[in-house]
């Protein structure tokens, strides 16, 4: 970004460059003198204790986008300044080559308060060459944008000195510009992340002040503050601003700060590592189970705050309900073991569930072969070779280099898909060039595959599962419960009262793990459930209510075990998805042809794999031998056998359940297979938090401290009215502390998402996160693409006529050549129909510049002639429609009633020479699905580029009214229609919308590629999984088997999720209100409060789990989860 762009972009917020000279102040400050209405009378310097409780509570709702003006404790605004004018002439001048506008930074000791800002501004603006002046009073810093050709940084400092504002140059922008010019090579901005520990941070309200201090510094890109860890993360340009300067700036502002990680040093270390290893390191994703320390969503930022500053960490995702953390990291810098230890040291006991570094990586199947070119007179040799080799896909020929001087061509290719000899023959046929194989890279290729330790891995996984399933109530907790029950007998009175002391023993057994967690949480400056329960237990002991203290201790210890039991079905469902990925493969060795058992992850693209009966298919591939049935329920949710034979595609993770062995040629590695992408995206969906979830968390952040402060007031102020009153109200206050725990409310939303996402995934539907589940339940309008969505996309060529029958073979060759490179579903039907006539594409027919024309067709240059294939709209635009012979036009008119797609082919100088019609039948389930959608009160519309008559013919067969059909639409017109439907206003509070808002959202269902703009513009985009390889990556929802009934299931699940969230939220709040009222009136005791808290949390969890499909037994007798 240029300096001029910086000037324009930075004109936002307080203290920015505006187009007037008026003084800009925050709303709380007087525009006349900057007097702050919120400042305390008589205060001198900024005091972190000046903010009131209400301001502190307000800060809890602050987001990254909040920019609340801070007030000087002196009573005047720190932002007060006279704005300068960035005129059009100054910006234009900055773009003139001889004019260089730069930014210099000065430290001015003479600035003592904001009242001197206008004076300094007037001094500098009067100087020739000054474009902009910005002043930061707390830092005594002046930022000046100036033309170095007219005035230098030293000149500016001298002018300030002469005016009794002694200043020193911190950064000379002119010197930096000169250095850049000397190198004649602009230096790219290198943003790094540095982390700091600031001892001056005491609460969340300090985060805003830290940001305000640092945002004034030049070179800052992003600031994140974690008050609980007293941690500041800063993304900055180390060339402009070093980490030491950042630390010193905060220290000078009464925030003593030390550097915990210097980003520039970390980058240098990583660079050295890369140089040494010759690569970018071993990067991947590991999975961790957080055993303890995480109880609610407020812990997620703490976990991220512990890991993200570490060098080598690329990303952290935490899912609260399952207590799983996914960490993307570089094992050359930080190992999975180190990550687990770091979390454990931070108070989150963690174990490794999956260390990606132990995965075997796929063997590279590419080799480098060298070819010599025989002498030739061809002047286009190089371009011909490049054009021919460019027709290969990247998984066959990755790269090539033609050296004309030495008449050599080097080709990096996959010998499993194209051998050196086959490349030689292909080049000879395609270019008529004689070449010789000098070095066959496959001859020296050592195909070494790691031996499979699948049995050991399976045993380890089973051991982990047994360990997880064996988690029971801790012995100490069980003893705690028995002692509590004994202590309850003291309520019988008389001699039984002595048994109340057994409650102390109960506390002694159950309290240590609670107190340990509470201490670590409180040490971070947070309040969580452990802290609240510890306060309640200690308070009850202080009052002598030992049985009550024992009740809180035991019931809270019991809650963790009960919650684990309640969520076990969700964890089992998610683990079942993860275990879909095959572990081994029977690889046919590329040279010896022996059958060897290897880890599925090492199988390269193009290898031959044998899949025996009952085995999982290890990778996506194509059948080259055998005919059998495959169970695709792992991806589609449908347990029905699908016949697979020669040239059929199969997906990794599916099961060969037929009676015949299949031999496949792999088209993707195991890690890139459909099931691997499914697993990866399901994991990410679990960690994506919706706006509703965030709002609930924000409410809990306010609710908890308010109730805690109220309870503390009851426990302390009540003693002013005497001992009896004090004891009574302290007991009520302790019950209030327990009620302050928001666990049931906080978990009410994510637990519903977990179950809903697991249920849809098991049914062959991939939903990207809880927010999209909510959106599915609020859909009002459903738009469908026709081809490949409402229809099967299985085109058949039913009519093909040419203007000159004697040239039929030649014209069909042109048409086949054009469509062989097209991506539309009907293209293959044309190629197949032409081949059925015995016509093949000659190698001498050369094609160039093949281009897709959205909504119209394709164009290319064939034999130096422009060739077009497409619909009527294309040829009317080209003004070639009039070249269509009359007899062909009459026949084409009769085809429109067939409901097929009609197209034409033209050749430069000849006009339209061919017309064809391809038919695509509707899916069997389309009509029933559309009827169900309409019965649910949804509006249904079909969007197509076909002509009106064709669209009406299809619409009639699937039960759509004429008003629900939009035809002859270009992609941009489909986009405009979707945007028109989205005329509803955005909801400011998603949680409130779940209760009061009517369905209003727009859903677009398409193939994931041709409808990309419409899918992106809609509120929720649904892609047919079989339509495109990237559908899962781009859409909000993907129907894995492209079965439209899954769309009904998705919308119904969305509605159930919304209903469950409503029930959970209302129930959680009602329980709190009822128990709160009973507590304040003295009708319930401490054990009732903890019982209601634990009970509501368990009931909310069980209600969320009800979204999971029920358990059924399959034919083999194994228990599974039925996809409802």
């Amino acid at each position: 970004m240029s300096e001029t762009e910086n000037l324009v972009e930075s004109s936002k917020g307080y203290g920015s460059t505006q187009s007037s000279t008026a003084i800009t102040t925050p709303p709380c400050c007087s525009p006349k003198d900057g007097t702050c209405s919120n400042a305390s009378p008589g205060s001198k310097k900024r005091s972190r204790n000046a903010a009131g409780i209400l301001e502190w509570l307000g800060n809890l709702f602050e987001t990254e986008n909040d920019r609340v003006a801070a007030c000087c404790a002196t009573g005047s605004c720190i932002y007060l300044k006279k704005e300068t004018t960035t005129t059009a002439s100054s910006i234009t001048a900055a773009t003139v080559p001889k004019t260089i506008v730069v930014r210099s930074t000065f430290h001015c000791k003479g600035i003592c308060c904001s009242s001197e800002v206008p004076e300094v501004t007037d001094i500098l603006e009067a100087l020739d060459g000054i474009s902009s002046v910005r002043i930061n009073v707390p830092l005594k810093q002046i930022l000046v944008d100036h033309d170095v050709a007219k005035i230098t940084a030293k000149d500016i400092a001298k002018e300030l000195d002469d005016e009794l504002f002694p200043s020193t140059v911190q950064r000379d922008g002119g010197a930096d510009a000169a250095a850049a010019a000397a190198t004649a090579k602009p230096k790219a901005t290198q943003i790094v992340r540095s982390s700091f520990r600031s001892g001056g941070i005491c609460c969340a309200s300090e985060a805003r002040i830290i940001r305000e201090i640092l945002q004034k510094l030049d070179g800052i890109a992003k600031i994140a503050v974690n008050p609980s860890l007293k941690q500041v993360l800063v993304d900055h340009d180390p060339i402009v601003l070093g980490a030491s300067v950042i630390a010193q700036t905060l220290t000078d502002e009464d925030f003593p700060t030390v550097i915990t990680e210097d980003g520039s040093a970390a980058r240098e270390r990583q660079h050295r590592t890369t140089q040494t290893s010759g690569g970018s390191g071993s990067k991947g994703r590991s999975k961790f189970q957080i055993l303890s320390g995480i109880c609610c969503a407020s812990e997620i930022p703490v976990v991220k705050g512990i890991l993200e500053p570490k060098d080598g960490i690329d990303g952290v995702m935490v899912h609260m309900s399952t207590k799983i953390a996914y960490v993307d990291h570089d094992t050359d810098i930080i190992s999975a073991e180190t990550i687990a230890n770091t979390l454990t040291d931070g108070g989150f006991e963690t174990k490794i569930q999956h260390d990606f570094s132990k995965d075997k990586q796929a063997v590279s199947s590419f080799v480098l072969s060298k070819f010599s070119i025989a002498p030739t007179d061809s002047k286009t040799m190089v371009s011909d070779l490049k054009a021919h080799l460019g027709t290969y896909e990247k998984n066959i020929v990755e790269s090539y280099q033609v050296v004309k001087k030495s008449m050599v061509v080097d080709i990096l290719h996959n010998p499993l898909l194209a051998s050196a000899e086959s490349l030689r023959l292909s080049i000879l046929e395609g270019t008529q060039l004689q070449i010789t194989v000098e070095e066959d890279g496959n001859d020296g290729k050592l195909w070494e595959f790691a031996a499979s330790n699948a049995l050991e891995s399976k045993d380890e996984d089973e051991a982990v599962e047994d360990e997880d399933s064996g988690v029971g109530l801790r012995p100490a907790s069980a003893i705690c419960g028995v002692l509590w029950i004994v202590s309850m007998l003291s309520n019988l009175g008389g001699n039984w009262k002595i048994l109340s002391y057994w409650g102390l023993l109960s506390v002694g057994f159950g309290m240590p793990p609670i107190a340990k967690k509470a201490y670590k949480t409180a040490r971070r400056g947070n309040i969580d459930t452990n802290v609240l329960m510890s306060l309640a237990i200690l308070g009850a002991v202080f009052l002598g209510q030992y049985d009550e203290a024992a009740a809180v201790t035991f019931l809270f210890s019991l809650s963790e075990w009960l919650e684990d039991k309640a969520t076990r079905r969700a964890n089992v469902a998610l683990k079942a998805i993860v275990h879909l990925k095959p572990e081994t493969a029977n690889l046919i060795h590329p040279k010896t042809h022996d059958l060897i058992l290897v880890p599925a992850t090492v199988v390269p693209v193009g290898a031959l794999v044998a899949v025996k009966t009952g085995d999982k298919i290890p990778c996506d591939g194509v059948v080259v031998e055998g005919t059998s049935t495959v169970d695709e329920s792992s991806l589609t949710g449908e347990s029905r056998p699908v016949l697979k034979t020669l040239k059929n595609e199969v997906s990794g993770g599916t099961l060969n359940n037929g009676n015949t062995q299949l031999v496949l040629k792999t088209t993707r590695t195991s890690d890139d297979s459909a099931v691997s992408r499914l697993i990866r995206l399901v994991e990410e969906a679990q960690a994506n938090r919706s706006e509703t979830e965030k709002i609930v968390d924000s409410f809990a952040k306010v609710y908890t401290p308010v109730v805690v402060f109220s309870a503390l007031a009851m426990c302390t102020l009540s003693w002013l009215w005497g001992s009896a009153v004090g004891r009574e109200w302290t007991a009520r206050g302790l019950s209030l502390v327990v009620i302050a725990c928001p666990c049931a409310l906080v978990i009410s939303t994510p637990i519903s998402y977990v179950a809903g996402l697991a249920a849809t995934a098991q049914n062959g539907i991939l939903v990207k996160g809880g927010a999209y589940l909510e959106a599915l339940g609020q859909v009002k309008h459903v738009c469908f693409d026709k081809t490949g969505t409402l229809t099967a996309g299985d085109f058949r060529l039913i009519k093909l006529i040419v203007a000159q029958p004697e040239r039929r073979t030649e014209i069909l060759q042109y048409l086949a050549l054009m469509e062989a490179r097209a991506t539309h579903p009907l293209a293959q039907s044309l190629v197949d129909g032409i081949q059925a006539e015995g016509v093949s594409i000659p190698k001498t027919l050369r094609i160039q510049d093949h281009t897709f024309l959205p909504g119209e067709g394709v164009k290319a240059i064939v034999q130096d002639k422009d060739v077009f294939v497409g619909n009527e709209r294309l040829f009317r635009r080209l003004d070639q429609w009039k070249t269509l012979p009359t007899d062909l036009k009459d026949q084409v008119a009769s085809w429109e009633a067939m409901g097929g797609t009609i197209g034409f082919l033209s050749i430069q100088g000849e006009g339209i020479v061919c017309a064809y019609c391809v038919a695509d039948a509707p899916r069997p389930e389309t009509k029933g699905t559309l009827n169900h959608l309409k019965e649910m009160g949804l509006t249904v519309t079909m969007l197509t580029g076909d002509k009106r008559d064709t669209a009406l013919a299809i619409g009639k067969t699937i039960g759509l009214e004429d008003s629900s059909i939009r035809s002859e639409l270009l992609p941009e017109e489909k986009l405009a229609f979707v945007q028109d439907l989205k005329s509803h206003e955005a909801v400011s509070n998603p949680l409130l919308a779940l209760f009061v808002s009517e369905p209003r959202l727009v859903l677009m269902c398409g193939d994931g590629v041709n409808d990309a703009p419409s899918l992106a513009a809609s509120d929720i985009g649904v892609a047919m999984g079989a339509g495109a390889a990237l559908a899962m990556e781009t859409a909000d929802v993907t129907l894995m088997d492209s079965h439209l009934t899954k769309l009904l299931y998705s919308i119904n699940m969305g509605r159930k999720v919304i209903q469950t969230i409503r029930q959970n939220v209302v129930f959680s709040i009602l329980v709190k209100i009822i128990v709160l009222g009973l507590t304040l009136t003295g009708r319930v005791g401490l054990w009732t409060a903890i019982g209601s808290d634990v009970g509501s949390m368990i009931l909310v969890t069980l209600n969320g789990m009800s979204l999971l499909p029920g358990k059924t037994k399959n034919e083999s007798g194994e228990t599974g989860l039925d996809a409802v």
Side-chain angles (χ1 to χ4, degrees):
M1 181 179 291
S2 68
E3 293 290 344
T4 302
E5 291 170 328
N6 278 328
L7 294 177
V8 175
E9 183 185 47
S10 59
S11 58
K12 300 175 183 177
Y14 300 123
S16 62
T17 303
Q18 305 290 337
S19 59
S20 69
T21 58
I23 296 174
T24 304
T25 62
C28 60
C29 300
S30 168
K32 295 181 179 179
D33 57 6
T35 303
C36 179
S37 60
N38 291 343
S40 303
S43 57
K44 296 180 180 179
K45 199 175 181 181
R46 177 185 59 82
S47 171
R48 293 194 293 272
N49 297 322
I53 293 177
L54 290 178
E55 181 187 358
W56 181 82
L57 291 175
N59 289 336
L60 294 176
F61 283 106
E62 184 182 10
T63 65
E64 286 296 325
N65 293 325
D66 292 333
R67 291 294 181 267
V68 182
C71 300
C72 276
T74 59
S76 60
C77 177
I78 64 172
Y79 289 103
L80 181 64
K81 59 181 285 187
K82 183 176 181 181
E83 301 298 341
T84 62
T85 303
T86 305
T87 63
S89 60
S90 66
I91 294 178
T92 305
T95 62
V96 178
K98 293 184 179 180
T99 301
I100 303 177
V101 176
V102 298
R103 175 170 295 174
S104 296
T105 308
F106 306 85
H107 182 264
C108 182
K109 299 178 181 178
I111 298 177
C112 60
C113 64
S114 57
S115 62
E116 292 169 320
V117 170
E119 184 179 355
V120 174
T121 303
D122 288 339
I123 292 171
L124 295 179
E125 283 185 336
L127 302 177
D128 188 24
I130 300 295
S131 297
S132 173
V133 180
R134 303 177 189 185
I135 302 175
N136 186 322
V137 176
L139 298 181
K140 301 181 183 297
Q141 188 180 65
I142 306 175
L143 303 179
V144 182
D145 295 330
H146 59 106
D147 183 351
V148 291
K150 296 180 179 180
I151 187 169
T152 66
K154 291 182 179 179
D155 294 335
I156 296 173
K158 185 177 184 302
E159 289 289 341
L160 289 171
D161 289 339
D162 293 343
E163 294 293 335
L164 302 182
F165 285 98
S167 302
T168 56
V169 179
Q170 285 185 326
R171 177 183 174 234
D172 186 348
D176 293 345
T183 59
K185 184 178 181 181
K187 182 172 286 188
T189 301
Q190 297 290 331
I191 300 297
V192 300
R193 169 168 291 183
S194 296
S195 60
F196 307 85
R197 179 174 177 80
S198 181
I201 301 177
C202 62
C203 62
S205 62
E206 306 285 356
R208 187 186 70 246
I209 301 174
I210 293 285
R211 286 196 293 268
E212 289 170 353
I213 292 172
L214 295 182
Q215 281 170 346
K216 306 289 190 302
L217 301 179
D218 197 19
I220 295 289
K222 184 179 179 182
I223 303 165
V225 183
N226 188 329
S228 59
L229 295 180
K230 302 183 184 300
Q231 185 180 63
V232 182
L233 302 177
V234 182
D235 294 347
H236 62 105
D237 185 346
I239 299 175
V240 178
L241 183 69
S244 59
V245 176
I246 297 173
Q248 186 60 47
T249 300
L250 290 175
T251 301
D252 291 343
E253 286 297 309
D254 295 334
F255 289 98
T257 302
V258 295
I259 303 172
T260 55
E261 182 70 55
D262 187 337
S264 58
R267 172 161 290 186
E268 181 61 27
R269 287 197 306 272
Q270 187 171 1
H271 176 71
R272 287 196 298 267
T273 302
T274 303
Q275 294 287 352
T276 303
S277 62
S280 58
S282 179
K283 294 185 178 181
R285 175 175 295 174
S286 295
K287 181 179 178 182
F288 303 85
Q289 176 74 59
I290 302 178
L291 302 175
S292 64
I294 185 168
C295 61
C296 59
S298 62
E299 304 284 357
I300 294 176
V302 180
V303 173
K304 290 185 175 182
I306 292 172
L307 294 181
E308 286 180 343
K310 297 295 181 183
D311 196 16
I313 299 290
D314 295 329
V316 180
M317 294 188 305
V318 182
H319 188 238
M320 190 212 35
S321 299
T322 57
K323 295 179 174 59
I324 295 292
Y326 301 97
V327 182
D328 296 330
H329 62 110
D330 188 338
T331 54
D332 289 343
I333 302 175
I334 184 169
S335 65
E337 184 178 359
T338 302
I339 293 172
N341 292 337
T342 300
L343 285 175
T344 300
D345 294 341
F348 298 93
E349 185 180 352
T350 303
K351 73 174 182 180
I352 303 172
Q353 276 204 347
H354 173 66
D355 183 352
F356 89 91
S357 64
K358 295 181 180 179
D359 293 343
K360 302 294 190 301
Q361 299 301 310
V363 176
S364 173
S365 52
F366 285 92
V367 297
L368 181 65
S369 296
K370 294 187 177 183
F371 304 81
S372 61
I373 307 171
T376 177
D377 295 331
S378 174
K379 296 181 180 180
T380 60
M381 177 193 73
V382 175
S383 59
D384 290 347
L385 273 173
K386 289 183 176 181
H388 180 78
L389 293 174
T391 61
Y392 283 96
E393 296 181 1
K394 285 294 183 181
N395 64 335
I396 301 177
V397 174
E398 186 175 83
S399 62
Y400 49 86
Q401 182 178 12
V402 181
V403 184
K404 185 176 182 180
K405 184 177 181 180
S406 56
M407 299 293 284
V408 170
V409 56
D410 295 334
I411 303 176
L412 187 63
H413 63 105
N414 184 340
L416 302 176
L417 300 177
S419 65
E421 179 62 20
S422 66
L423 287 174
R424 184 189 72 81
L425 295 175
S426 174
I427 292 172
L428 175 61
E429 294 177 2
T431 65
Q432 306 303 311
L433 293 172
Q434 293 286 345
I435 66 171
T436 304
V437 180
E438 296 293 337
E439 293 182 17
D440 187 344
N442 194 34
D443 290 342
K445 175 76 171 179
L446 296 177
W447 292 98
E448 296 181 356
F449 298 95
S452 174
N453 56 352
L455 187 59
E456 297 178 9
S457 301
K458 185 176 181 180
D459 291 340
E460 291 177 4
D461 291 341
E462 290 176 352
V464 171
E465 289 181 8
D466 292 341
E467 181 183 344
D468 291 341
S469 61
V471 174
L473 195 63
R474 289 190 299 267
S477 298
I479 296 172
C480 173
V482 172
L483 294 174
W484 167 57
I485 294 174
V486 174
S487 70
M488 290 290 290
L489 297 176
S490 63
N491 294 320
L492 298 175
N495 294 332
W496 294 94
K497 288 186 177 180
I498 193 68
L499 293 177
S500 65
Y501 289 99
W502 285 60
L504 277 178
L505 292 175
S506 175
V507 171
F509 276 96
M511 179 78 172
I514 301 174
K516 182 180 179 181
K517 296 176 185 177
Y519 170 73
K520 290 186 176 181
T521 301
R523 189 176 61 181
R524 293 194 296 266
N526 289 340
I527 297 177
D528 70 351
T529 309
N530 295 287
V531 174
L532 297 176
M533 297 305 155
S534 297
L535 290 175
I537 293 168
L538 294 176
V541 171
F542 170 75
L543 294 177
Q545 299 177 353
Y546 303 134
D547 57 336
E548 298 276 1
V552 175
T553 304
F554 172 67
L555 291 177
F556 182 66
S557 301
L558 186 67
S559 66
E560 185 177 350
W561 178 69
L562 290 175
E563 183 186 359
D564 177 73
K565 288 291 184 182
T567 57
R568 183 163 300 280
R569 283 185 64 205
N571 288 324
V572 168
L574 294 175
K575 285 181 180 178
I577 295 172
V578 172
H579 288 166
L580 293 176
K581 187 175 180 179
E583 297 176 348
T584 61
N586 291 302
L587 179 70
I588 299 175
H589 197 281
K591 287 193 173 181
T592 65
H593 301 292
D594 293 334
L595 197 65
I596 56 176
L597 185 66
V598 300
T601 52
V602 308
V603 177
V605 174
L608 294 179
V609 175
V611 183
K612 302 175 182 178
T613 299
D615 284 354
K616 286 182 180 179
I617 295 173
C619 310
D620 293 358
V622 177
V623 178
V624 296
E625 180 184 320
T627 299
S628 186
T629 57
V630 174
D631 181 1
E632 298 181 337
S633 59
S634 58
L635 293 178
T636 66
E638 298 290 338
S639 297
R640 54 185 176 87
V642 179
L643 184 65
K644 298 292 182 181
T645 186
L646 293 180
K647 297 185 179 181
N648 287 162
E649 294 183 353
V650 292
S651 298
T654 56
L655 182 72
N656 180 8
N657 63 353
N659 297 320
T660 308
Q661 172 180 284
L662 293 175
V663 177
L664 320 173
K665 175 166 283 191
T666 60
T667 56
R668 288 191 180 95
T669 63
S670 175
D671 287 334
D672 194 36
S673 65
V675 71
S676 294
R677 297 197 302 274
L678 170 65
I679 292 169
R680 182 171 62 252
L681 293 172
V682 166
E683 291 175 346
E684 292 175 356
Q686 296 292 324
N688 290 338
R689 301 178 68 209
S690 72
E691 289 301 318
T692 301
E693 190 175 352
K694 293 176 184 177
I695 290 173
V696 171
D697 290 344
S698 295
F699 172 77
K701 286 180 181 179
V702 174
Y703 163 79
T704 299
V706 167
V707 177
V708 169
F709 287 147
S710 302
L712 291 178
M714 293 169 60
C715 293
T716 54
L717 299 179
S718 60
W719 292 89
L720 297 176
W721 283 269
S723 177
V725 175
R727 292 181 65 84
E728 179 184 353
W729 282 94
T730 297
R732 296 180 184 181
L734 293 177
S735 297
L736 200 60
V737 168
V738 174
I739 296 172
C741 175
C743 286
L745 178 62
V746 170
I747 204 174
S748 61
T749 303
I751 200 67
S752 304
Y753 293 154
V754 170
L757 292 171
T760 52
Q762 287 181 329
N763 205 35
I765 306 163
L766 178 62
V767 184
K768 289 290 184 68
Y772 301 111
L773 276 176
E774 286 184 18
L776 283 167
Q778 295 176 307
V779 167
K780 176 62 178 176
H781 307 283
V782 181
C783 300
F784 289 98
D785 174 44
K786 179 182 75 73
T787 304
T789 304
L790 294 177
T791 61
D794 185 15
F795 287 90
R796 291 176 295 105
L797 180 61
I798 57 176
K799 296 289 183 180
L800 196 158
I801 56 176
V802 296
Q804 303 175 36
E806 67 277 7
R807 295 180 57 202
R808 183 179 180 87
T809 298
E810 177 190 354
I811 292 173
L812 292 187
Q813 288 174 346
Y814 272 73
L815 181 60
L817 180 65
M818 293 288 290
E819 292 300 302
R821 287 164 172 77
T823 58
H824 194 279
L826 64 79
Q828 188 59 45
S829 67
L830 284 171
V831 175
D832 292 342
I834 292 171
Q835 289 178 345
E837 290 193 27
V839 177
S840 59
I841 304 172
K843 298 295 183 180
T844 55
L845 207 58
R846 295 168 52 190
I847 185 171
Q848 296 175 306
D849 299 332
H850 189 276
T851 305
F852 172 65
L853 304 174
E856 294 181 329
V858 293
K859 71 174 183 177
I861 299 175
V862 180
Q863 301 297 86
D864 299 324
K865 294 182 179 181
D866 291 332
V867 179
F868 291 89
V869 178
N871 54 27
E872 181 179 331
R873 181 191 296 110
L874 170 64
F875 293 98
R876 287 190 181 276
R877 179 175 65 82
L878 297 174
D879 196 26
Q880 293 187 13
W881 183 250
K882 58 188 178 184
T883 65
L884 180 65
T886 304
D887 57 335
L888 264 65
K889 187 176 296 185
D890 293 338
Q891 293 188 57
V892 167
S894 66
W895 294 349
E896 293 181 357
M898 298 180 181
T901 299
I902 300 172
F904 309 89
L905 177 142
S906 73
I907 301 175
Q908 182 180 355
E910 301 179 35
I912 298 176
V913 296
C914 169
Y916 58 85
C917 179
V918 291
D920 182 20
R923 294 178 183 274
E925 74 277 9
T926 295
K927 187 173 183 178
T929 299
L930 298 186
N931 288 335
H932 275 97
L933 290 174
K934 288 184 283 188
E935 291 172 1
M936 294 166 64
L938 306 180
T939 62
V940 179
T941 307
M942 181 180 77
L943 309 179
T944 178
D946 287 342
K947 295 192 67 175
R948 185 67 179 170
D949 291 342
T950 301
L952 291 175
I954 291 291
K956 185 177 180 179
T957 61
I958 59 179
L960 284 179
E961 299 82 6
D962 292 356
S963 60
S964 299
I965 300 172
R966 303 282 174 163
S967 56
E968 301 183 50
L969 298 178
L970 292 171
E972 55 266 27
E973 292 172 328
K974 292 182 182 180
L975 173 63
F977 180 81
V978 171
Q979 289 175 330
D980 289 340
L981 287 179
K982 285 182 61 181
S983 58
H984 61 80
E985 294 182 0
V987 176
S988 58
N989 191 316
L991 179 60
L992 188 62
L994 292 183
F995 290 89
V996 300
S997 178
E998 293 293 328
R1000 67 198 184 285
L1001 302 184
V1002 180
L1003 181 150
M1004 176 68 192
C1005 185
D1007 60 14
V1009 173
N1010 295 330
D1011 305 282
S1014 302
L1015 289 173
S1018 62
D1019 292 299
I1020 183 164
V1022 180
M1024 311 296 278
L1030 295 178
M1032 284 194 296
E1033 305 287 349
T1034 57
D1036 303 324
V1037 178
T1038 303
L1039 310 181
M1040 298 297 294
D1041 64 348
S1042 300
H1043 206 278
L1044 284 177
T1045 55
K1046 300 296 178 64
L1047 182 61
L1048 287 174
Y1049 182 92
S1050 303
I1051 294 175
N1052 283 323
M1053 178 57 69
R1055 293 184 173 185
K1056 289 180 181 178
V1057 166
I1058 290 177
Q1059 183 180 2
T1060 303
I1061 292 174
R1062 288 173 181 167
Q1063 295 169 350
N1064 286 348
V1065 171
V1066 171
F1067 174 75
S1068 303
I1069 293 176
L1070 282 179
V1071 168
K1072 292 294 181 185
I1073 292 175
I1074 293 172
V1075 177
L1076 177 63
L1078 295 174
T1079 298
L1080 293 177
T1081 56
R1083 297 178 182 274
V1084 298
L1086 194 59
W1087 73 269
T1088 307
I1090 181 64
S1092 67
D1093 182 75
V1094 173
S1096 61
M1097 182 179 66
I1098 299 304
L1099 289 176
V1100 162
T1101 301
L1102 292 174
N1103 190 40
M1105 289 298 99
S1106 67
L1107 294 170
L1108 282 173
K1111 291 184 178 180
T1112 59
K1113 284 196 174 182
N1114 56 29
E1115 295 178 359
S1116 61
E1118 295 178 349
T1119 300
L1121 291 171
D1122 183 25
V1124 178

